[in-house]
Amino acid sequence: MKKATAWAPATTANVNVGFDILGYSLASVGDLITVEWDENTSGRDEIILKTLNNHTSISDQVLKNTASVSLLSMKNDLKLSGTFYLSIEKGIPVSAGLGGSAASAVGSVVALNALLEQPLTKTQLLKYALDGEQAVSGGRHKDNVVPCLMGGFNLVVPGVQPNQEDSIHPLPTPEGLASLLFTPDVAIKTSESRDQLNDNLPLKDHTKQLACSMLFMAGLYENNHEKLRNSLQDIIIEPQRGPTIPLYFEIKDYCLNQNGVVGFGISGSGSSVFIWLKNEKQLISRISEEILTMFEQNKIKTQHRLCEFDNEGAKIIGMS
Ligand code: HSE
């Protein structure tokens, strides 16, 4: 029996200025996915979901679980046979806008890949991870899967280059900043949240959003915190999704009036919110405490996490 364990990081998608096309990977929060492969079970050719660390909201059916769907897709495509045992230890909260389904999908294919005699490249693994993401979120969204797999900040360019389907453009990660994340205790399903979005966009909103997005790119490449701060504005999605997140606008108002805060927005489709701020201990602990007090006063449960930008993406942390 061969065994590999992969760590796959949480991710923040959209980042205010890049709905469905921007995402970055978060260090220190992730899922652990273990694949055990017994090649000697001739005649039996199956995936067995072993542990789900007591997550009742995650499907234990092979065809409905993001990690096993990805594993199945890769195993079938590469014509691998035997019994595959899959264990999932969720470190990422579920339906929280932190790319939990993407991480489990990515982790399973990265773990299986480590057991192959001729491993595939990360780019080759992408399609299998997307099969898993599609099974639970209803779409082949790359803005979580790509940064989870590749690490760093990524722009997913949807089919605008000649003869090329979606391509991936790695971007610089901001220096001197960290992400402070709050996850209020409200489950938001990405597929349901997307169904409620308005398809029509007034031209003036398009122009303003485009200007913000372009200024943001300049800010990233120049590591110019002032430009990042001015540009991190979500004109289109925030007015629609903000009200679904407890205290969203109150926390936004508070954050954007603090020196040292560079940006605030919805992580993916929520319920998590991200705060980009200077990576300074005192500032971070003061802002964390003040926001926690706001949640407490409103009797809303929340989790919070401080994450650096991760540049590695999913990786193998154990093999036997
Ligand atoms: N961009 C997606 C959304 C999130 O906001 O609906 C995950 O891919």
Side-chain angles (χ1 to χ4, degrees):
M1 183 105 91
K2 296 192 283 187
K3 176 175 169 181
T5 299
W7 180 83
T11 44
T12 282
N14 301 333
V15 204
N16 292 4
V17 293
F19 179 68
D20 277 353
I21 57 171
L22 278 182
Y24 67 93
S25 163
L26 297 157
S28 71
V29 182
D31 286 355
L32 284 178
I33 310 290
T34 301
V35 174
E36 293 164 273
W37 181 10
D38 186 352
E39 290 175 90
N40 300 319
T41 50
S42 56
R44 276 175 61 203
D45 190 13
E46 60 182 340
I47 292 176
I48 296 173
L49 273 164
K50 258 175 79 176
T51 46
L52 293 169
N53 68 334
N54 299 326
H55 260 293
T56 47
S57 54
I58 299 175
S59 176
D60 57 3
Q61 294 176 43
V62 170
L63 295 179
K64 288 193 178 156
N65 180 292
T66 173
S68 46
V69 170
S70 296
L71 195 72
L72 185 67
S73 164
M74 181 166 167
K75 161 191 123 39
N76 288 348
D77 201 32
L78 301 180
K79 303 189 172 41
L80 308 175
S81 61
T83 304
F84 299 81
Y85 298 93
L86 184 59
S87 305
I88 302 170
E89 254 187 74
K90 293 294 297 176
I92 305 174
V94 177
S95 300
L98 292 173
S101 60
S104 292
V106 166
S108 74
V109 298
V110 167
L112 176 58
N113 198 40
L115 302 178
L116 301 180
E117 276 171 25
Q118 291 179 309
L120 306 179
T121 63
K122 282 193 165 182
T123 307
Q124 289 172 310
L125 292 179
L126 182 59
K127 64 176 173 176
Y128 307 124
L130 287 170
D131 287 341
E133 169 73 4
Q134 182 166 22
V136 291
S137 74
R140 298 178 77 76
H141 313 299
K142 291 195 174 114
D143 49 350
N144 286 118
V145 172
V146 168
C148 177
L149 184 60
M150 309 290 183
F153 212 124
N154 288 273
L155 168 69
V156 180
V157 185
V160 294
Q161 304 191 80
N163 309 321
Q164 212 169 344
E165 286 183 44
D166 294 6
S167 63
I168 297 163
H169 188 90
L171 300 168
T173 47
E175 286 166 30
L177 299 181
S179 294
L180 180 59
L181 296 138
F182 283 84
T183 306
D185 195 12
V186 186
I188 296 180
K189 287 202 162 158
T190 298
S191 52
E192 289 170 13
S193 171
R194 292 179 78 82
D195 285 347
Q196 285 161 19
L197 293 176
N198 187 352
D199 274 337
N200 299 312
L201 177 63
L203 192 56
K204 67 173 182 15
D205 290 354
H206 162 76
T207 305
K208 184 161 185 200
Q209 189 65 75
L210 192 60
C212 288
S213 305
M214 294 174 88
L215 184 64
F216 178 79
M217 285 296 159
L220 265 192
Y221 277 94
E222 294 166 14
N223 196 42
N224 181 324
H225 293 179
E226 193 57 31
K227 282 188 187 168
L228 292 176
R229 183 181 163 89
N230 291 334
S231 64
L232 258 171
Q233 297 185 47
D234 181 349
I235 317 294
I236 302 165
I237 305 297
E238 183 185 75
Q240 303 181 65
R241 284 182 171 169
T244 65
I245 299 171
L247 300 184
Y248 182 84
F249 293 102
E250 290 87 336
I251 298 170
K252 179 182 173 182
D253 274 355
Y254 162 79
C255 283
L256 296 185
N257 282 307
Q258 304 301 310
N259 285 331
V261 170
V262 166
F264 176 87
I266 305 170
S267 180
S269 54
S271 63
S272 298
V273 297
F274 70 84
I275 301 159
W276 280 12
L277 75 181
K278 293 222 158 81
N279 199 355
E280 294 167 4
K281 229 174 172 179
Q282 275 192 337
L283 172 78
I284 291 167
S285 68
R286 178 178 62 78
I287 289 187
S288 304
E289 276 166 30
E290 287 176 5
I291 295 176
L292 283 174
T293 304
M294 291 166 79
F295 277 111
E296 271 165 29
Q297 282 171 346
N298 286 277
K299 299 191 171 36
I300 297 164
K301 282 193 198 152
T302 187
Q303 299 173 21
H304 72 295
R305 298 171 172 83
L306 178 71
C307 295
E308 311 253 336
F309 291 87
D310 160 75
N311 279 309
E312 265 187 300
K315 59 187 175 193
I316 296 297
I317 57 155
M319 280 196 70
S320 55

